[in-house]
């Protein structure tokens, strides 16, 4: 696997914080603010603009300074987490620390000791260290007495290929490890930003010098067209909101017909969603993953039964528990206390009440239900579901696509705030390399986040690159408009 493709597959390394409960250059621009009627009004109020670098459309990072005099670091401005962390001079046991600059508290006259231990678990990696206080320069402003983590241990091989040194979280304080006050909160508290809004533009052409920008305190009208569609934040922590159905080539998938939850996450490279519908999408675009024997076995043994129950108008969420593959019927546990009365060996052979068979069954129900709604024959339905089993993502989540087929692939759309947001193949396929050596992967990856935080769609850079995104902290809402 090429180094470039490997970097693309770090999509969730520093995206969402997995909680236990669930600029490089300045750009001269006219300053703007949001008015109460969702219109953008020109105004010369000061905003803070940080230029971003773009590495392979997979990592967007900008420069900050820590301490006085400032020590320079590059960070991901991550709306999927809320802490600031950087490699510490005391990081001596992690090889990756030797490939990034390290913060030296002894070199800063604004440093203040804290010392409380800290650890953050991300999607596929973890960091640990201790809290400290110091000044943080972001663009042209300086946040004083900012609490941050000096990382003394970092993910090994994974972090070695990262182009950035640390993370600056822009999520809500509710998911901040140690309840540390986020940098964004302190910008507002210290009166450094007049408008409680920040916005992202991510350039999806990695060949251009200007990789993108984040504007603290407003938006840049040069980087979007039309008006933003706003949706309220439904749960503080991530920038979480309600999302409607997913369309594949203009046809509803049905998975989110009754609504789904989503987050806008600048720290995730791809677009992640439940395996059920991601597999449907990857099948439609010809992305191949790893054949799932468990999925095929469930379809072979129970596919006809599932279809018969659906035709008999059984409740879809209860089907898998009714046939004995799941211990949960979508509303309550149906085998409460089973682990206390069944020994370990029996649990391993009892049909997978909590494992892969249950997941495969739940996916098959959704897939079959959709095909029945299109009046397909039963033989065609079972054949289609078996094809979906073959499109299950590989363990790392990636799915390969034939680079020569990109122009003929269908549009995939998300419904947000009653508006349909299209993603074309040029936008959701990530290409690494040129000519015969080029590698193409699907921008859709499977991630099953369990309740109560999930299931959750993660709209990462694949989506935010297509749609300029406004994070309105004052009104607790997120807005999307076509990027320009």
């Amino acid at each position: 696997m090429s180094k470039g493709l490997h970097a693309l597959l770090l999509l969730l390394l520093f995206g969402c914080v997995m909680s236990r409960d669930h600029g490089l250059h300045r750009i001269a621009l006219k300053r703007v603010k949001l008015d109460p009627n969702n219109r953008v009004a020109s105004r010369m109020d000061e905003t803070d603009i940080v230029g971003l670098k773009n590495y392979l459309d997979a990592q967007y990072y900008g420069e900050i300074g820590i301490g006085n005099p400032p020590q320079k670091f590059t960070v991901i401005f991550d709306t999927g987490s809320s802490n600031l962390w950087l490699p510490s001079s005391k990081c001596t046991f992690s090889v990756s620390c030797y490939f990034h600059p390290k913060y030296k508290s002894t070199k800063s006259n604004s440093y203040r000791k804290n010392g409380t231990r800290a650890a953050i678990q991300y999607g596929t990696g973890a960091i640990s260290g201790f809290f400290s206080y110091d000044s943080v320069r972001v663009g042209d402003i300086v946040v004083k007495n900012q609490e941050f983590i000096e990382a003394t241990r970092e993910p090994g091989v994974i972090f070695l290929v990262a182009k950035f040194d640390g993370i600056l979280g822009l999520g809500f304080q509710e998911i901040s490890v140690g309840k540390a006050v986020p940098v964004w909160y302190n910008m507002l508290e210290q009166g450094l930003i007049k408008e409680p809004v920040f916005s992202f533009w991510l350039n999806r052409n990695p060949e251009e010098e200007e990789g993108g920008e984040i504007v603290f305190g407003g938006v840049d009208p040069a980087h979007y067209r039309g008006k933003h569609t706003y949706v309220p934040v439904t749960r503080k922590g991530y920038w979480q909101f309600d999302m409607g159905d997913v369309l594949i080539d203009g046809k509803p998938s049905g998975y989110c017909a009754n609504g789904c939850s989503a987050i806008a996450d600048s720290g995730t490279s791809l677009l992640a969603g439940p395996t059920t519908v991601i597999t449907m999408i990857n099948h439609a675009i010809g992305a191949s993953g790893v054949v799932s024997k468990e999925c095929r076995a469930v379809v072979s043994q129970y596919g006809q039964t599932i279809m018969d129950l659906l035709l008999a108008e059984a409740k879809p969420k209860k089907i898998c528990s009714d046939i004995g593959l799941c211990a949960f019927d979508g509303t309550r546990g149906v085998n409460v206390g089973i682990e206390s009365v069944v020994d370990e060996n029996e649990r391993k052979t009892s049909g997978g009440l909590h494992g892969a068979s249950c997941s495969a069954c739940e996916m098959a129900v959704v897939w079959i239900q959709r095909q029945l709604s299109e009046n397909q024959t039963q033989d065609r339905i079972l054949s289609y579901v078996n094809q979906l089993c073959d499109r299950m993502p590989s363990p790392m989540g990636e799915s390969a696509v034939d680079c020569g087929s990109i122009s003929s692939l269908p549009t995939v759309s998300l419904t947000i705030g009653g508006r349909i947001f299209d993603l074309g193949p040029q936008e959701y396929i990530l290409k690494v390399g040129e000519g015969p050596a080029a590698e193409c992967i699907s921008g859709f990856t499977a991630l099953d986040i369990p309740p109560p935080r999930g299931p959750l769609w993660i709209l990462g850079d694949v989506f935010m690159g297509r749609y300029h995104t406004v994070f309105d902290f004052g009104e607790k809402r997120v807005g999307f408009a076509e990027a320009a």
Side-chain angles (χ1 to χ4, degrees), residues 451-480:
R453 180 61 77 171
L456 203 60
W457 287 79
I458 301 176
L459 310 190
D461 298 342
V462 163
F463 187 83
M464 290 179 60
R466 176 69 174 82
Y467 295 101
H468 181 272
T469 308
V470 176
F471 297 84
D472 189 340
F473 186 81
E475 298 293 332
K476 302 297 184 291
R477 61 182 184 169
V478 185
F480 303 100

Side-chain angles (χ1 to χ4, degrees), residues 187-458:
M187 284 184 180
L188 296 174
E189 179 67 25
Q190 296 175 23
L192 303 172
I193 297 294
K194 291 187 178 181
E195 297 295 329
V197 171
F198 60 90
S199 57
F200 276 87
W201 167 63
L202 304 179
N203 189 351
R204 296 304 277 179
N205 185 347
E207 302 301 320
E208 294 184 2
E209 181 181 354
E210 190 177 6
E213 70 176 23
I214 177 171
V215 181
F216 292 102
V219 299
D220 175 5
H223 289 306
Y224 69 91
R225 302 184 187 93
K227 294 182 179 181
H228 289 81
T229 296
Y230 285 93
V231 285
V233 171
T234 55
R235 183 174 183 179
K236 289 196 300 182
Y238 305 131
W239 288 86
Q240 183 171 328
F241 52 90
D242 289 335
M243 186 181 85
D245 206 4
V246 179
L247 287 74
I248 305 171
D249 204 15
K251 298 179 181 179
S253 68
Y255 186 85
C256 292
N258 296 319
C260 285
S261 291
I263 67 172
D265 183 7
S266 60
T268 293
S269 303
L270 307 187
L271 194 157
T275 301
T276 304
V277 70
I278 292 297
T279 302
M280 294 166 67
I281 293 172
N282 280 336
H283 174 265
I285 68 176
S288 4
V290 173
V291 175
S292 170
K293 294 181 180 179
E294 191 73 39
C295 181
R296 276 187 169 275
V298 168
V299 174
S300 173
Q301 189 169 354
Y302 298 100
Q304 187 65 51
T305 301
I306 292 171
M307 198 172 342
D308 292 342
L309 288 169
L310 285 169
L311 289 169
E313 299 185 351
K315 293 183 178 179
K317 289 186 177 181
K318 296 187 67 176
I319 287 176
C320 294
S321 60
D322 287 345
I323 62 179
L325 291 181
C326 292
F328 188 77
D329 66 6
T331 58
R332 62 186 179 86
V334 296
N335 285 291
V336 177
I338 189 170
E339 293 189 6
S340 64
V341 297
V342 183
D343 68 25
E344 184 68 23
N345 290 331
E346 287 178 320
R347 283 203 299 275
K348 289 180 179 178
T349 59
S350 62
L353 290 173
H354 300 279
S357 294
C358 176
S359 297
C361 177
E362 291 174 335
M363 287 187 283
V365 168
V366 174
W367 296 338
I368 292 172
Q369 187 178 24
R370 186 194 184 212
Q371 291 297 296
L372 286 172
S373 70
E374 296 183 0
N375 296 318
Q376 298 290 344
T377 66
Q378 294 191 14
D379 286 345
R380 285 179 64 89
I381 290 173
L382 292 177
S383 174
Y384 170 76
V385 173
N386 274 313
Q387 290 177 47
L388 289 186
C389 287
D390 292 346
R391 300 296 186 180
M392 295 282 286
S394 69
M396 282 293 291
E398 74 277 10
S399 295
V401 177
D402 176 9
C403 292
S405 69
I406 292 178
S407 61
S408 62
L409 298 182
T411 297
V412 177
S413 311
L414 308 181
T415 309
I416 302 172
R419 174 183 167 190
I420 293 177
F421 291 82
D422 293 331
L423 290 172
Q426 298 294 339
E427 293 149 357
Y428 63 69
I429 298 297
L430 287 85
K431 187 176 182 180
V432 182
E434 298 295 335
E439 298 171 286
C440 295
I441 65 169
S442 166
F444 301 101
T445 188
L447 181 68
D448 295 305
I449 299 176
R453 180 61 77 171
L456 203 60
W457 287 79
I458 301 176

Side-chain angles (χ1 to χ4, degrees), residues 5-59:
L5 184 56
H6 186 237
L8 291 177
L9 301 183
L10 300 180
L11 67 156
L12 293 172
L13 172 57
F14 297 115
C16 296
V17 172
M18 309 304 286
S19 65
R20 292 183 178 179
D21 299 327
H22 45 161
L24 294 179
H25 56 279
R26 288 279 297 168
I27 308 170
L29 297 168
K30 179 178 286 188
R31 276 44 171 161
V32 298
K33 62 165 285 185
L34 294 176
D35 76 3
N37 297 316
N38 294 352
R39 294 190 301 270
V40 177
S42 296
R43 182 171 171 174
M44 296 306 291
D45 286 346
E46 186 65 25
T47 59
D48 191 53
I49 303 168
V50 180
L52 302 176
K53 288 291 187 182
N54 173 10
Y55 178 63
L56 296 176
D57 286 344
Q59 300 176 32

